[in-house]
Amino acid sequence: MEKKQFQAESKRLLEMMINSIYTQREIFLRELISNASDAIDKIYYKALTDDSLVYDKDSYYIKVTANKDARLLTISDTGIGMTQEELESNLGVIAKSGSLAFKKETEIKDGHDIIGQFGVGFYSAFMVADSVTVVSKAIGSDTAYKWESDGADGYTIEPTSKETVGTEITLKIKENGEEDNYDEFLEPYRLRAIIKKYSDFIRHPIKMEIPSSRLQEGSETEYEEYIEEQVVNSMVPIWKKNKSELTDADYEAFYQEKRYGFDKPLKHIHISADGAVVYNAILFIPENTPFDYYTKEYEKGLELYSAGVLIMDKCGDLLPDYFSFVKGMVDSEDLSLNISREMLQHDRQLKLIAKNIKNKIKSQLQTLLKDERERYETFYKAFGRQLKFGVYNEYGRDKDLLQDLLLFHSSTEKKLVTLDEYIGRMPEDQKYIYYASGSSIDRIEKLPQAEMVADKGYEILYFTDDIDEFAIKILTSYKEKEFKNVSSGDLGLDENEQENKDEATENEHKDLFEEMKSILGDKVKSVRISKRLRSHPVCLTTEGELTIEMEKILAAMPNNENVKADKVLEINSNHEVFASLKNSYENDKEKLGLYTNLLYHQALLIEGLPIEDPVQFTNDICKVMVTPSA
């Protein structure tokens, strides 16, 4: 029999496709099953206009059969079949899609999409097969035809016999190589796993003969092996069902079945969109942080389906980074896919879906915050850091979207509060939203710098995450109220009488502070009277945008440039220590140096900063212990 050659461009495309278009060999089974599903759908569409055809869905199925000994894998369907001309046209010219042509001819608009629109999926079989045989009998035809090919060298077509209408594709699976295991495509359990992964929601039954075991009749211990034909796909996806039919348990079962996490989902979002772009989605907000969530190995993304067929395991373009904790799937027939259907073209539809999903997640989180505060706080403890990252990232591009979802511990409420709740409690005379940063709530509560703000009765937000202050610097304000660190130079408090008194004291002892600055050198930018201290003798504050907490965070990063905050040493003029400083300045400059260094190191310890010379510090303490007080 004369072997026919593929068209030149088809031959070249076949060679390229087998080697590079598909990233995983197992994809071939998805493609062949999708083609089989299309063949059954075509009968359904013809039955709509042809009274001689009766479509009985129970008569239509796809079957996958493996013969290990002969190394044969067969995918058969009871679909519309192909004539000799259709075999020649569809399988002789790679990238010509019979499904796409059929769809255009029949102007399908009823929601049953034809899956295989690119015409290359069939040839993915050559990634795992030395040769492929197609036997097909078209509906209304008395003759079947056999198409055979061993790859790029060409193909043959000849008449053959087949009792029933439909198509049977048989792959001669390749022998194993040193690094290639082709045996897996002859193992029933592996084949079933591939079907469940990619084709679980094909609308027609996919049948397989699965080895099973059972107790022998009359025995309590002896088992016998037998073969059982099973339908291995779910067929109707949960996202195609009416929401009113589904319970929380149904969504939780889907979450577990898809292995989105080992926990229970905290909340689910079921979207059925029918607008500028048509798609279905089921999204989950997990309860717990995945073990690898804050590592570079974690990969965000939603499963992407096209007409129920899995196209991508993780489509990262559907989620912004700050919502990367969301799990779930999207199914759309409107997306433009590339030739292998494994990669999306970056088009308007994808962006519309991503934007809609982002807004739906935001809305769901707001509802959770409003109606189920305890559950939202559970979520926030797991993923709040990621929301703050979203505020900070891309120069605050999405800060307005996220700011109402943020929570911080409150000095007065002793619990997590929103920025809106803080604003709602502000006295009329309060100019700023005050915050304090530290490694823990306990440590922040002891900060001397917070005394004056707390004495005014103003609420302070506690920042304990390393990203908090960076995010707030990007946010800058909330509802026209600026954020103010309790350690900043100007607290914006109206204390005119006290300020005048402090200014007079500072002017009176200007030489003392200049001497202390000289002793400390470039460790501090200046030394001055504190307007914020009440009971503590000393503290460090900062000038400029970089705070002490930010300095500590940057110092812990690799390849840091040793960036330092502009520190100011503040002295409480009402504390008895100040009298010792004045006395030593007037009578004992050596003791002034001792006291100055001790106060500076005390301020470092309060801030959790390392002491530059611990030995010198301990020696200074010993000197104070053995020196009579002035």
Side-chain angles (χ1 to χ4, degrees), residues 580-591:
S580 297
L581 285 172
K582 290 190 295 182
N583 186 287
S584 62
Y585 174 70
E586 294 169 0
N587 302 303
D588 190 341
K589 293 294 179 66
E590 184 180 345
K591 189 174 287 184

Side-chain angles (χ1 to χ4, degrees), residues 299-335:
E299 185 181 2
K300 71 166 184 174
L302 302 175
E303 288 184 323
L304 181 67
Y305 292 80
S306 177
V309 179
L310 181 66
I311 304 303
M312 294 177 68
D313 275 325
K314 295 280 180 69
C315 182
D317 291 335
L318 288 170
L319 287 175
D321 285 345
Y322 49 81
F323 288 155
S324 59
F325 50 80
V326 173
K327 303 288 187 181
M329 52 65 56
V330 173
D331 184 12
S332 176
E333 298 168 4
D334 288 351
L335 291 172

Side-chain angles (χ1 to χ4, degrees), residues 75-337:
I75 297 91
S76 59
D77 65 67
T78 56
I80 199 166
M82 288 179 278
T83 64
Q84 180 178 5
E85 291 74 19
E86 287 169 334
L87 280 169
E88 181 84 49
S89 175
N90 294 339
L91 303 189
V93 181
I94 299 172
K96 177 176 180 182
S97 170
S99 294
L100 181 59
F102 183 88
K103 184 178 182 180
K104 289 178 179 177
E105 288 169 10
T106 53
E107 295 184 357
I108 294 166
K109 296 177 181 177
D110 73 342
H112 276 66
D113 190 50
I114 295 290
I115 302 167
Q117 296 180 20
F118 293 106
V120 299
F122 167 79
Y123 295 92
S124 61
F126 287 103
M127 292 191 295
V128 300
D130 287 326
S131 63
V132 178
T133 302
V134 180
V135 174
S136 190
K137 183 177 182 180
I139 192 167
S141 173
D142 294 328
T143 307
Y145 291 90
K146 180 168 71 172
W147 180 99
E148 277 189 296
S149 174
D150 54 6
D153 288 341
Y155 60 94
T156 61
I157 296 180
E158 61 179 332
T160 190
S161 59
K162 188 177 189 300
E163 291 185 8
T164 57
V165 170
T167 300
E168 183 178 278
I169 302 174
T170 302
L171 283 62
K172 178 70 173 180
I173 300 297
K174 295 178 180 180
E175 297 289 341
N176 290 340
E178 288 185 10
E179 298 181 0
D180 299 314
N181 175 26
Y182 294 101
D183 286 353
E184 62 176 321
F185 303 119
L186 295 166
E187 294 292 340
Y189 292 107
R190 175 70 178 119
L191 293 168
R192 181 166 65 175
I194 296 172
I195 292 169
K196 290 291 288 183
K197 179 178 180 180
Y198 294 102
S199 309
D200 196 31
F201 305 115
I202 289 287
R203 65 180 66 92
H204 309 294
I206 303 172
K207 299 180 179 181
M208 282 188 68
E209 292 183 348
I210 304 294
S212 300
S213 62
R214 61 191 171 196
L215 279 172
Q216 289 184 1
E217 189 173 347
S219 173
E220 295 182 0
T221 58
E222 296 293 327
Y223 284 82
E224 62 180 0
E225 301 292 326
Y226 71 103
I227 302 297
E228 180 182 37
E229 186 176 83
Q230 299 177 5
V231 174
V232 296
N233 62 320
S234 303
M235 287 183 282
V236 181
I238 186 174
W239 60 85
K240 289 282 190 180
K241 295 179 180 178
N242 195 308
K243 297 177 192 178
S244 61
E245 301 174 18
L246 300 168
T247 65
D248 287 345
D250 293 323
Y251 290 107
E252 287 176 13
F254 181 69
Y255 184 84
Q256 300 297 335
E257 179 185 335
K258 298 300 291 180
R259 295 183 175 86
Y260 290 142
F262 297 104
D263 57 346
K264 276 189 176 183
L266 200 63
K267 209 72 178 173
H268 68 262
I269 307 167
H270 191 158
I271 306 170
S272 297
D274 190 9
V277 60
V278 178
Y279 72 95
N280 293 287
I282 295 180
L283 312 175
F284 295 97
I285 299 171
E287 185 174 25
N288 300 322
T289 313
F291 72 94
D292 61 344
Y293 186 64
Y294 290 111
T295 70
K296 62 181 180 181
E297 284 76 26
Y298 182 82
E299 185 181 2
K300 71 166 184 174
L302 302 175
E303 288 184 323
L304 181 67
Y305 292 80
S306 177
V309 179
L310 181 66
I311 304 303
M312 294 177 68
D313 275 325
K314 295 280 180 69
C315 182
D317 291 335
L318 288 170
L319 287 175
D321 285 345
Y322 49 81
F323 288 155
S324 59
F325 50 80
V326 173
K327 303 288 187 181
M329 52 65 56
V330 173
D331 184 12
S332 176
E333 298 168 4
D334 288 351
L335 291 172
S336 299
L337 307 173

Side-chain angles (χ1 to χ4, degrees), residues 371 376 456 585:
D371 299 337
Y376 183 82
K456 288 282 290 183
Y585 174 70

Side-chain angles (χ1 to χ4, degrees), residues 391-392 395-396 398-400 402-404 406 408 419 468-478 481-483:
V391 170
Y392 171 77
Y395 305 100
D398 290 327
K399 63 182 182 180
D400 293 340
L402 297 169
Q403 60 184 359
D404 289 319
L406 302 180
F408 300 101
L419 296 176
D468 285 346
E469 207 164 2
F470 291 92
I472 290 302
K473 292 288 185 184
I474 291 289
L475 202 54
T476 66
S477 65
Y478 179 80
K481 292 288 186 179
E482 291 183 21
F483 293 92

Side-chain angles (χ1 to χ4, degrees), residues 266 285-290 293-294 321-326 361 365 368-369 374-393 398-399 401-409 416-417 419 462-472 475:
L266 200 63
I285 299 171
E287 185 174 25
N288 300 322
T289 313
Y293 186 64
Y294 290 111
D321 285 345
Y322 49 81
F323 288 155
S324 59
F325 50 80
V326 173
I361 296 169
L365 290 174
L368 194 63
L369 173 60
E374 189 175 336
R375 297 187 81 196
Y376 183 82
E377 290 186 13
T378 297
F379 152 78
Y380 194 80
K381 286 171 185 175
F383 302 107
R385 178 186 177 88
Q386 195 68 9
L387 299 185
K388 296 169 193 172
F389 170 76
V391 170
Y392 171 77
N393 197 33
D398 290 327
K399 63 182 182 180
L401 178 89
L402 297 169
Q403 60 184 359
D404 289 319
L405 299 174
L406 302 180
L407 297 179
F408 300 101
H409 187 85
L416 292 171
V417 301
L419 296 176
Y462 291 172
F463 291 178
T464 55
D465 247 344
D466 55 9
I467 198 172
D468 285 346
E469 207 164 2
F470 291 92
I472 290 302
L475 202 54

